Amino acid sequence: MNYSIKLFALLLIISLTSCNQKETQAQTNHLKLWYNQPATDWQSEALPIGNGYIGAMFFGGIEKEQIQFAEGTLWSGGPGSGEAYNYGVKKDAWKHLAEVRRLLDAGKMDEAHALANRELTGSMHKAEGSKSSFGNYGAQQTMGDFFVEVHHKGEPSDYVRELDIENAEGKVSYKINDVNYSRTYFASYPAKTLVYHFEADKATDYSINFETPHKKNNETFTNSVYSFQGEVADNGMQFETCVKVETDGTVNFADGKIEVVGAEYLNMYHVAATDYTKNYPIYKGNDYVVSNIKTLENIEGKSFDALRTEHQNDFSELFDRVKLDLGENKRDSIPTDTRLIEYSKGLTDAGLEELYFQYSRYLMIAASRPGSMPLNLQGKWNNSTNPAWANDYHMNINQEMLYWAAEVTNLSEIHIPLFDYMETLVIPGRITAKEFFNTRGWIVNTMNNPFGYTSPGWNFPWGFYPGGAGWLCQHLWEHYEFTQDKQFLKETAYPMMKEASLFWIDYLIEDENGYLVSSPSYSPEHGGISRGASMDHQIAWDLLNNSIAASEILGVDEDFKNEALIIRDKIAPPTIGSWGQLQEWKEDVDDPESKHRHVSHLFALHPGKQISTDKTPELAEAAKVSLNARGDEGTGWSLAWKVNFWSRLKDGDRAYKLYRRLLQPIGTKKTGMTGGGTYTNLLCGHPPFQLDGNMGGAAGMAEMLLQSHAGSIELLPALPTAWKNGSVQGLKARGGFEVNIEWKDGKLLKAEISSAKGGKFTLSYKNKTESFNLIPNGKLILNNELISLN
Ligand code: FUC
């Protein structure tokens, strides 16, 4: 074959395979959300893409595309909003602590509440006429909307809008008058850019513009780059967003619109930055214009295809680590909205469950990457200037749940933004601990903004929750447990853990029975002021326990360790109450009728490890009694937590029942404190949209298949009957092990355990437990009797 024949043959093969690829992709790649109509509702229908920094939602409108976008650091409130902002701190508030405690000891709960409400609350200032529900505490902000009008006329057909989560790209395609129109969207982390590609078989005209609810200061179009600079009204936060346009059509800019004429293709490269920095006390100073210039310079000369390949390689490196097969999958040809409704009627749909699981992993990768802000209540997706709960960092369940799936689903790296962020809380958190409680250490309470608001919230009791830092520190320890990264333990984790422990060492006081209790305390959002909320005790226990282990591993701080040991063992232990329940408070006052969404006193069961079915069976039984009383309803995240609880209680069928409940469609319902579920875009509805439930749901699925919190690696500890045959590859267990499991007829068939670092571990399946030792980079293959096959 001469060169040109060879080339022709090669091109033919490439074009045939790419055709085939397109056709077969629909059949082979089942990890897709797809719909036959554009989205009309942002929260329940639009589809999310993100590059860690920016979250965007596309609607897929035919005549007019809308891509709403938010950058994680864009906030109202904080120091820029004026002198009234003081990080919530009330100087010397601790001077009232002794009196609150005295009133509590005297049983004067109302008086104690009133005093705590007056003195132990943080300060938030709301200016007259402020449109924000959160005053100078602020709220995370949408940056704006990007619109692309497509100038075509006629009846569309063959419309498909999809999100391919295996390749991390969105697509829209349809036909009008036999012309094919298609769009591809992706959000690249390495390029820090959102990329939108429009194409048509026929030259097409487009009008492009940006809208923002913020002040537009400056709008320019130079060298194919449109940019506008904007400002958040109440705090002057500066930002800029730019889009670089690349097309075979002609481009004009007039009256704030980019007009593109006669384009067969249109590529747009969208970037954004703000002047926020993570530095207390100013939180300002990033040169956002230079940031954007650099980002655009970095992609200069890179084609759409090159950026797409770079993005997919980056994404796949993380995403492809875990494969899940839950059995026969026959329903990929059904649009996701219909599929969800049919599932809620009781149909089996292993494919939808796999999709839901992998979607959580997709969302984590899309919204939490080293260098970015951590996930917030809505991940990075927010279309409002006054979002629910400020779209902030909520520390009494939500922030933690957002990262529950990170380690076990083999995405350790996505945990890093949380740790970087925690480091920024230490300085303000120290001041808060000192001013409110006169203790050492650092704390953060219920609500937290990125401007160092670590104080209690501005009302008692909901805002009062000094347990936040302790709970966050569990994530540091878990990251170490899963990665065995000693340098991380030494340099990042342990210093924060130790300092958070100091708060509890100082704050806990001895009660009449000689136990250390947390007073005043409050079991998140349930009951009133207390002199011993169990969750505080369990968090303090967990934190001290992990800090002791860390100091032993690192061989440091003997004195601190010994003190922590004494304190840990004196903390009021989990207690069983009069109706067999696990007590939510030191006093046996649980209401068996309460269906409250928070189940905080079960922290010790999950995500803690103080209670387990093997080591503390009576307490596990009591946790079951409490859970049964609370029932199987709840907000999105509450349902997800219950999936995890029942998995830890080794009741796979009950966990699965709750999991199915979590996937109950909830239409476009706006808000509620019950009735959680899933929108047709598979985002979790509290309601409203909150990402924590997605992550908690995926973590719960992993808990059904693999657990490693109680000292051994447990295979299929809570396998539901519905998942009869299946396999999972690439889950992680504590100790740094990677685990593959295959099962058939509800029984283990084969397991593979591998590890880069190697080491000793015990493995259990049903009643059998065996010990093993892996060499570095070793792999052990075992049968259902846990007998090695290699
Ligand atoms: C806590 C929960 C609410 C909601 C909010 C963001 O306050 O009690 O249900 O999830 O966080």
Side-chain angles (χ1 to χ4, degrees):
M1 252 198 280
N2 70 24
Y3 176 75
S4 56
I5 295 174
K6 262 195 212 160
L7 187 68
F8 175 73
L10 188 69
L11 286 175
L12 191 70
I13 291 168
I14 291 173
S15 71
L16 284 176
T17 45
S18 68
C19 267
N20 280 347
Q21 253 167 17
K22 268 197 179 159
E23 273 164 26
T24 51
Q25 227 182 17
Q27 290 130 34
T28 54
N29 172 12
H30 70 277
L31 293 177
K32 275 182 188 174
L33 289 77
W34 74 275
Y35 309 83
N36 281 325
Q37 68 289 326
T40 53
D41 183 57
W42 179 88
Q43 130 169 302
S44 60
E45 294 174 345
L47 293 172
I49 58 169
N51 65 358
Y53 306 95
I54 307 170
M57 290 275 226
F58 68 94
F59 286 69
I62 295 170
E63 268 88 38
K64 192 172 186 177
E65 176 58 288
Q66 177 178 2
I67 303 176
Q68 181 281 327
F69 64 103
E71 204 275 351
T73 62
L74 194 70
W75 268 73
S76 61
S81 64
E83 276 173 14
Y85 183 78
N86 65 350
Y87 315 87
V89 173
K90 273 190 193 151
K91 209 160 168 22
D92 290 337
W94 65 269
K95 290 190 172 156
H96 302 275
L97 184 60
E99 179 59 7
V100 173
R101 285 177 168 165
R102 195 192 62 76
L103 290 167
L104 283 173
D105 288 345
K108 297 183 175 169
M109 307 312 264
D110 291 345
E111 285 170 52
H113 171 101
L115 185 57
N117 193 32
R118 202 171 65 231
E119 306 294 348
L120 298 183
T121 43
S123 61
M124 183 273 276
H125 176 73
K126 205 162 151 190
E128 272 284 303
S130 163
K131 286 193 194 118
S132 162
S133 311
F134 307 96
N136 66 354
Y137 172 86
Q140 210 271 323
Q141 303 286 301
T142 176
M143 198 174 263
D145 292 86
F146 179 70
F147 292 102
V148 182
E149 284 171 66
V150 189
H151 299 292
H152 49 23
K153 284 210 165 57
E155 266 310 296
S157 64
D158 302 348
Y159 179 91
V160 178
R161 173 173 63 99
E162 68 176 49
L163 182 65
D164 171 346
I165 61 164
E166 198 165 21
N167 292 299
E169 61 183 32
K171 285 200 176 130
V172 179
S173 59
Y174 56 91
K175 257 186 196 175
I176 292 183
N177 301 331
D178 274 342
V179 179
N180 292 303
Y181 295 89
S182 74
R183 308 173 197 163
T184 304
Y185 306 138
F186 61 88
S188 165
Y189 170 66
K192 239 182 153 177
T193 303
L194 273 51
V195 180
Y196 317 132
H197 168 82
F198 283 60
E199 83 180 39
D201 292 349
K202 190 180 133 198
T204 303
D205 303 345
Y206 300 92
S207 306
I208 305 160
N209 76 306
F210 278 94
E211 285 177 18
T212 179
H214 305 291
K215 200 168 144 203
K216 259 192 199 177
N217 280 337
N218 194 14
E219 204 172 19
T220 56
F221 187 78
T222 325
N223 294 334
S224 306
V225 177
Y226 164 90
S227 76
F228 86 79
Q229 282 153 19
E231 185 177 318
V232 178
D234 80 331
N235 64 3
M237 187 184 269
Q238 303 290 312
F239 67 89
E240 184 193 57
T241 191
C242 312
V243 72
K244 183 179 149 190
V245 176
E246 183 185 82
T247 177
D248 56 348
T250 56
V251 184
N252 269 305
F253 180 68
D255 300 330
K257 272 199 175 173
I258 307 165
E259 302 290 351
V260 179
V261 176
E264 284 191 16
Y265 76 87
L266 169 62
N267 295 331
M268 288 161 288
Y269 305 98
H270 181 194
V271 304
T274 75
D275 70 356
Y276 175 82
T277 70
K278 284 181 187 159
N279 303 325
Y280 176 87
I282 307 290
Y283 297 99
K284 201 179 173 74
N286 181 45
D287 194 334
Y288 54 102
V289 175
V290 169
S291 291
N292 284 336
I293 290 172
K294 279 197 186 141
T295 309
L296 288 171
E297 270 171 12
N298 282 340
I299 61 166
E300 193 63 46
K302 286 190 187 167
S303 66
F304 168 78
D305 286 334
L307 284 169
R308 189 181 188 193
T309 305
E310 182 188 56
H311 158 66
Q312 287 183 352
N313 289 342
D314 165 71
F315 177 82
S316 308
E317 200 281 309
L318 294 164
F319 187 80
D320 291 354
R321 292 176 188 172
V322 174
K323 303 261 180 268
L324 177 66
D325 174 2
L326 294 175
E328 204 176 41
N329 172 28
K330 290 192 274 187
R331 305 182 64 76
D332 289 341
S333 57
I334 300 167
T336 310
D337 40 359
T338 313
R339 193 173 183 180
L340 186 69
I341 291 166
E342 291 181 353
Y343 180 76
S344 73
K345 293 183 181 147
L347 285 186
T348 47
D349 190 346
L352 181 68
E353 293 167 347
E354 292 159 17
L355 182 65
Y356 186 89
F357 175 81
Q358 295 288 21
Y359 190 40
S360 294
R361 299 184 65 250
Y362 163 86
L363 291 162
M364 275 190 269
I365 302 170
S368 181
R369 302 296 297 273
S372 78
M373 297 296 279
L375 299 168
N376 54 33
L377 285 172
Q378 296 174 193
K380 291 279 154 62
W381 296 280
N382 170 27
N383 69 340
S384 170
T385 51
N386 191 23
W389 290 290
N391 191 22
D392 67 357
Y393 308 100
H394 252 68
M395 304 304 188
N396 66 6
I397 172 67
N398 320 91
Q399 193 59 33
E400 293 85 2
M401 183 180 282
L402 282 164
Y403 283 96
W404 280 352
E407 300 291 340
V408 67
T409 74
N410 213 333
L411 293 173
S412 268
E413 298 88 335
I414 74 99
H415 228 156
I416 288 167
L418 179 67
F419 307 144
D420 289 347
Y421 184 70
M422 283 169 67
E423 282 184 320
T424 74
L425 301 180
V426 173
I427 295 176
R430 254 178 218 153
I431 297 168
T432 298
K434 190 86 206 144
E435 296 297 343
F436 283 90
F437 304 111
N438 199 24
T439 65
R440 295 170 296 167
W442 71 282
I443 55 169
V444 55
N445 282 268
T446 310
M447 284 178 82
N448 162 248
N449 70 9
F451 305 118
Y453 189 109
T454 52
S455 300
W458 42 93
N459 276 317
F460 196 91
W462 67 257
F464 190 87
Y465 183 67
W471 194 345
L472 288 175
C473 283
Q474 188 187 58
H475 286 248
L476 297 168
W477 175 248
E478 294 272 295
H479 184 73
Y480 167 72
E481 286 246 86
F482 278 91
T483 60
Q484 299 293 297
D485 182 345
K486 263 201 192 161
Q487 196 183 344
F488 168 81
L489 185 66
K490 184 170 168 221
E491 290 168 10
T492 307
Y494 180 67
M496 280 193 267
M497 291 164 66
K498 180 184 167 192
E499 211 183 322
S501 300
L502 296 178
F503 167 76
W504 288 106
I505 290 175
D506 292 354
Y507 187 67
L508 295 169
I509 50 171
E510 199 169 302
D511 75 354
E512 57 286 359
N513 304 316
Y515 286 126
L516 291 176
V517 294
S518 173
S519 177
S521 58
Y522 174 54
S523 192
E525 320 216 10
H526 190 217
I529 191 167
S530 145
R531 57 203 280 266
S534 304
M535 183 188 233
D536 272 15
H537 303 154
Q538 296 170 11
I539 285 180
W541 187 93
D542 189 79
L543 174 64
L544 294 174
N545 194 51
N546 295 340
S547 302
I548 292 162
S551 99
E552 274 166 6
I553 292 165
L554 297 171
V556 294
D557 286 339
E558 190 68 21
D559 290 349
F560 161 74
K561 188 190 87 181
N562 290 334
E563 189 185 11
L565 262 167
I566 294 168
I567 301 284
R568 181 197 67 184
D569 294 342
K570 262 184 89 171
I571 295 175
T575 313
I576 301 173
S578 54
W579 46 280
Q581 87 284 13
L582 197 69
Q583 283 179 212
E584 187 161 353
W585 301 275
K586 179 173 120 74
E587 284 85 17
D588 186 359
V589 292
D590 299 70
D591 173 6
E593 300 302 319
S594 172
K595 304 287 175 217
H596 199 271
R597 63 192 183 284
H598 283 269
V599 206
S600 310
H601 50 313
L602 269 56
F603 172 93
L605 174 69
H606 180 279
K609 54 189 178 212
Q610 204 177 351
I611 297 178
S612 68
T613 48
D614 288 351
K615 296 195 178 123
T616 58
E618 287 93 9
L619 292 172
E621 221 23 69
K624 210 180 262 184
V625 171
S626 292
L627 263 185
N628 275 324
R630 284 288 163 91
D632 292 346
E633 261 304 321
T635 54
W637 62 257
S638 176
L639 295 165
W641 202 354
K642 288 172 185 168
V643 176
N644 287 273
F645 287 138
W646 285 111
S647 300
R648 288 258 170 119
L649 290 168
K650 312 283 165 66
D651 188 339
D653 284 340
R654 187 68 173 271
Y656 183 70
K657 181 183 171 210
L658 265 304
Y659 170 72
R660 286 194 75 112
R661 174 64 195 80
L662 176 65
L663 266 68
Q664 185 83 14
I666 48 171
T668 56
K669 192 168 158 192
K670 294 291 182 230
T671 43
M673 283 303 180
T674 53
T678 299
Y679 300 113
T680 55
N681 54 10
L682 300 189
L683 292 174
C684 183
H686 176 288
F689 161 44
Q690 243 176 244
L691 198 70
D692 43 17
N694 287 88
M695 304 310 171
M701 292 175 84
E703 287 282 330
M704 293 188 227
L705 302 174
L706 178 72
Q707 292 177 20
S708 62
H709 59 283
S712 75
I713 299 176
E714 298 175 65
L715 305 172
L716 306 177
L719 186 70
T721 318
W723 295 347
K724 202 165 161 234
N725 302 317
S727 66
V728 65
Q729 284 160 38
L731 290 184
K732 290 293 288 280
R734 289 167 186 82
F737 299 98
E738 196 161 311
V739 182
N740 301 341
I741 313 171
E742 237 179 276
W743 67 94
K744 196 166 181 259
D745 293 326
K747 291 194 188 73
L748 177 69
L749 199 62
K750 197 170 111 185
E752 290 179 9
I753 320 288
S754 56
S755 159
K757 294 201 173 167
K760 289 186 180 150
F761 65 97
T762 58
L763 196 65
S764 357
Y765 174 62
K766 295 207 187 283
N767 295 325
K768 201 159 183 177
T769 300
E770 296 289 342
S771 295
F772 299 93
N773 196 355
L774 257 191
I775 54 163
N777 294 316
K779 180 191 264 190
L780 198 64
I781 305 177
L782 303 138
N783 69 9
N784 62 355
E785 299 282 310
L786 302 187
I787 295 169
S788 166
L789 300 174
N790 60 342

